[in-house]
Amino acid sequence: MIIARQQDVTDAVLAAMAGAPGDRLRVVMAAFVRHLHEFAREVSLTEAEFEYAIDFLNRIGQASHDSHNEGVLFSDAVGLSTLVCLLNNGQDGATETAAALLGPFWRANAPRTENGGSIVRSATPGAPLFVDCRIRDASGQPLAGVRVDVWQASPEGMYENQDEAQAEMNLRGVFETDSDGRIAFRSVKPAGYPVPTHGPTGEMLRAQQRHPFRPAHLHVLAFKPGFKTLITQVFVDDDAHLESDVVFGVTRALIGDFRRGEGPAPAADVAGEWFSLAYTFVMEPGDAVLPQPPIK
Ligand code: BEZ
Ligand code: FE
């Protein structure tokens, strides 16, 4: 098609792509092009802005490597990760869900840990936390044999892969629910933290005068054949950034009851302040698919 005016470009591209094999590829790419072109028209995108956007995209790729995923971080910071999560959970977006975004810090192959064990693998100053989680199906039946990955930042707000002072796989572990659908472990109360801001995502946050903080949370990934893999986070209820999570992950259902311990702690070596968290997760029927780990 010979292009006579700006309106023709969209039709020409859609026609060029119309023969793509596979309905999904055709539908997704046609919608992508329509919305992309409409976006450029709506904001009257200038040539300088277009050049900046291409450079920004290239820099997202250049900033990504084995231990940092800038692409995930950018999708998180513009709310796309949370939107995709909510569209694909809670009966395909129809109802509330216990799911939340994965984030860029999940690592596969965390150490298998027995129930009642600890995920503190090197000296980690902070208040001890005793976690007791149950996993049920939609009818309330406990689910045994669920493989549960947990990971969190330290009380200083750093994941072990960001912090040379922490041992490999500190504050990460893989558990299996017992016959009551339960896992239990010892950790330390996580702190909120700023997401990495050294790359293009940080540039965007600064330009928009947004703070980079996530409220403190514990990540959970629950996997069992026959059930949709549940990827979620439980948030610390007194965190100052619950209402302004930089990646929009907080829903009411995910605010946990982090209780200050009263009386004797569950472990003899605990001297000062300690906390407990009890939380019940519900898994939906569906496909047990694991995501690609964002980092190695
Ligand atoms: C996280 O919770 O690990 C996370 C999520 C989005 C961006 C950065 C970190
Ligand atoms: Fe996190």
Side-chain angles (χ1 to χ4, degrees), residues 8-93:
D8 296 341
V9 184
T10 307
D11 289 340
V13 178
L14 292 175
M17 299 191 318
D23 287 348
R24 189 67 185 155
L25 177 65
R26 255 198 327 278
V27 169
V28 171
M29 284 308 295
F32 180 69
V33 165
R34 275 191 280 105
H35 287 276
L36 196 62
H37 287 207
E38 210 35 57
F39 154 75
R41 289 190 182 97
E42 181 181 324
V43 301
S44 301
L45 197 68
T46 68
E47 287 161 315
E49 288 163 345
F50 179 57
E51 235 177 74
Y52 178 85
I54 296 290
D55 181 57
F56 190 89
L57 201 57
N58 289 339
R59 286 188 291 119
I60 287 179
Q62 288 154 3
S64 300
H65 46 78
D66 276 359
S67 58
H68 178 74
N69 195 320
E70 188 76 16
V72 169
L73 183 59
F74 179 74
S75 306
D76 296 345
V78 295
L80 184 61
S81 307
T82 290
L83 175 61
V84 171
C85 169
L86 298 182
L87 284 172
N88 283 276
N89 290 280
Q91 296 168 31
D92 292 336

Side-chain angles (χ1 to χ4, degrees), residues 253-289:
L254 296 179
I255 300 177
D257 183 13
F258 284 73
R259 278 201 192 163
R260 189 180 304 272
E262 283 167 12
D269 63 320
V270 176
E273 176 181 59
W274 59 279
F275 290 83
S276 65
L277 169 69
Y279 194 92
T280 299
F281 300 96
V282 178
M283 292 183 79
E284 299 176 19
D287 289 337
V289 181

Side-chain angles (χ1 to χ4, degrees), residues 115-140:
N115 270 326
S118 176
I119 59 170
V120 183
R121 305 185 191 282
S122 58
T124 311
L129 172 69
F130 296 89
V131 180
D132 188 339
C133 290
R134 281 154 207 272
I135 304 195
R136 311 215 176 283
D137 68 12
S139 70

